[in-house]
Every structure is written in structure tokens, then in C-alpha cells.
Amino acid sequence: MSHQIAIDGPAGAGKSTIAKLVSGKLGFIYVDTGAMYRAMALYLSRMNVNPDNADEVGEKAQSAEITIKYVDGEQVVMLGDENVNGLIRSPEVSAMASRTSQVARLREKLVELQQKLAETENVVMDGRDIGTVVLPNADLKIYLTASVQVRAMRRYKEMIAKGQEAVLEEIEKDIEDRDYRDMHREASPLKQADDAVLVDTSDMSIEEVADKIIELYNS
């Protein structure tokens, strides 16, 4: 029987970094659900789907085959038989993912693919509806959060470190807007599962958060 840890929370709470660390320490597979949405966006772009046509998005999404594998210790996102790791971080794919990820039928398809992964592997999965929709029976559910100011500063530092231009006030506004969209969308809105443990990461290091989650899992 596989074991599952679900980590949810708003954008910028450090979910992906922490989920990777926890999965590495436990020897579980880290499932990057955001990367799966990006792979779907790439698929839809290649099919010339209109992102504003929800019916077309939902219909075309049904034929996509997306999974995650580990090759030489690296997580690889597969679209069919193709490794698309190097193709899913472009601004175009990001924009497509943002516009199409709200479509209920697309989300249902990706939930189905994510659940199939979790049935056969020990997984740590992060996102915005993992504990509520994708893995409602997970062994442990975590809801990570941090203040908007802390999340914006983290993103600002990341961008500056990469040599990108960044304006802190604009990042804060983007995060606030994204929080609102995530919490108010019709399909699987962001919310804390009733049985999830709330962990505020504002004043914690990445290592401290990971250790806290592992402690909760083992208790």
C-alpha cells in the first residue's frame, strides 16, 4: 500500500521546495502538480487550442497523457513518451497554464492522472487542492501558509538572484490577485482541508518546515 503526504497552500508559501526536501528525506516520489498543469498547457498549445474556449480546452485535455518519472535522480515530466522538462517553463506556457487551469474538465483529467500516480508510489504532492480533492485520504495533510509580504519578498529575492528585474510592490499585488483567484474559482478552490495541519512558514527556514512535516508524519 502506498503512502501519501498532501501539501497545500497559496502561491509563494514554499510548497514545492519543501515538498522536494521532504520527499528526498523520506525516499518518496515528489509529484510536482504545477509541472503537470504546465505540461498540459504545452499540449494544448501544440493543438492550437483557444485558451478562452472552456469547452474546447476540456475536450482536448482528455487525450493528454502526462506522468512523472525519475531518471538518474532527476524528476522528469513526461508528455506521452517525451521529456518536456526543458519546454514547460517558458512565459508562453506559463500564460497558457494560468488561463486553462481554471477549466473544471481539465482539472478533473489531471486529478485522475495524479491519483493514478499516487496509487502505485509513495508520494509527496503539493498544490492547491491536494488534501481536499486529489488525495482526500492522504496519511498526512499539511496547509502551508505565510504572509503576503513574506511570500513577495521570497519571490523578489529569487528573481533578483536570477538577474531578473523585479518590483516588490508589483509582486505583492500579483500574489494577492492570485490568492483571490485560487480561493474563489469554481473548480476546486484553494482551502484548508478540515483535517490538515496548518503550518505558518513566515518565521521558519525551509529545513525547519521540512523537519516539522516529517515529525508530524512519523508521529
Side-chain angles (χ1 to χ4, degrees):
M1 182 181 167
S2 62
H3 296 280
Q4 305 163 353
I5 296 177
I7 301 178
D8 287 308
K15 298 185 300 293
S16 299
T17 305
I18 289 158
K20 283 177 196 167
L21 197 51
V22 170
S23 63
K25 290 187 175 196
L26 290 173
F28 285 18
I29 283 187
Y30 164 59
V31 180
D32 183 347
T33 58
M36 294 179 78
Y37 277 92
R38 287 170 175 273
M40 178 67 84
L42 175 65
Y43 176 77
L44 295 174
S45 294
R46 288 175 170 179
M47 302 274 282
N48 295 314
V49 171
N50 176 1
D52 297 320
N53 185 331
D55 289 339
E56 186 185 9
V57 168
E59 185 61 38
K60 296 292 187 186
Q62 303 309 307
S63 53
E65 280 304 322
I66 299 161
T67 191
I68 288 176
K69 293 182 177 177
Y70 271 75
V71 180
D72 298 329
E74 181 196 9
Q75 178 185 271
V76 174
V77 183
M78 303 294 295
L79 179 57
D81 296 325
E82 181 187 1
N83 174 348
V84 293
N85 272 18
L87 303 173
I88 59 174
R89 302 291 171 186
S90 71
E92 295 76 19
V93 170
S94 295
M96 186 70 159
S98 179
R99 293 170 74 183
T100 57
S101 62
Q102 313 294 324
V103 176
R105 279 194 73 201
L106 178 149
R107 297 190 73 84
E108 286 163 11
K109 173 64 177 179
L110 278 165
V111 166
E112 178 191 311
L113 293 170
Q114 289 154 9
Q115 288 172 335
K116 192 157 60 169
L117 253 175
E119 282 170 12
T120 56
E121 305 282 356
N122 293 333
V123 299
V124 179
M125 201 178 290
D126 76 288
R128 292 177 180 76
D129 61 353
I130 309 304
T132 52
V133 175
V134 184
L135 302 177
N137 300 312
D139 301 279
L140 174 65
K141 298 178 189 178
I142 300 290
Y143 190 88
L144 285 185
T145 189
S147 69
V148 170
Q149 291 73 23
V150 166
R151 287 186 280 143
M153 181 56 74
R154 287 174 182 164
R155 180 73 182 133
Y156 175 81
K157 286 178 177 175
E158 275 176 20
M159 293 175 73
I160 295 298
K162 291 177 182 172
Q164 299 171 347
E165 288 188 14
V167 178
L168 187 58
E169 291 76 13
E170 289 179 7
I171 297 170
E172 280 190 19
K173 178 72 167 59
D174 286 345
I175 287 175
E176 286 175 346
D177 290 347
R178 192 166 174 184
D179 282 355
Y180 184 87
R181 284 199 307 273
D182 286 344
M183 290 175 180
H184 291 83
R185 67 178 177 229
E186 284 185 36
S188 304
L190 169 66
K191 61 183 178 183
Q192 182 179 341
D194 292 339
D195 53 350
V197 180
L198 178 66
V199 178
D200 189 324
T201 69
S202 297
D203 300 314
M204 297 172 76
S205 70
I206 297 293
E207 283 283 348
E208 285 171 339
V209 179
D211 289 343
K212 173 71 174 173
I213 292 172
I214 291 168
E215 179 189 320
L216 288 165
Y217 176 73
N218 287 328
S219 62

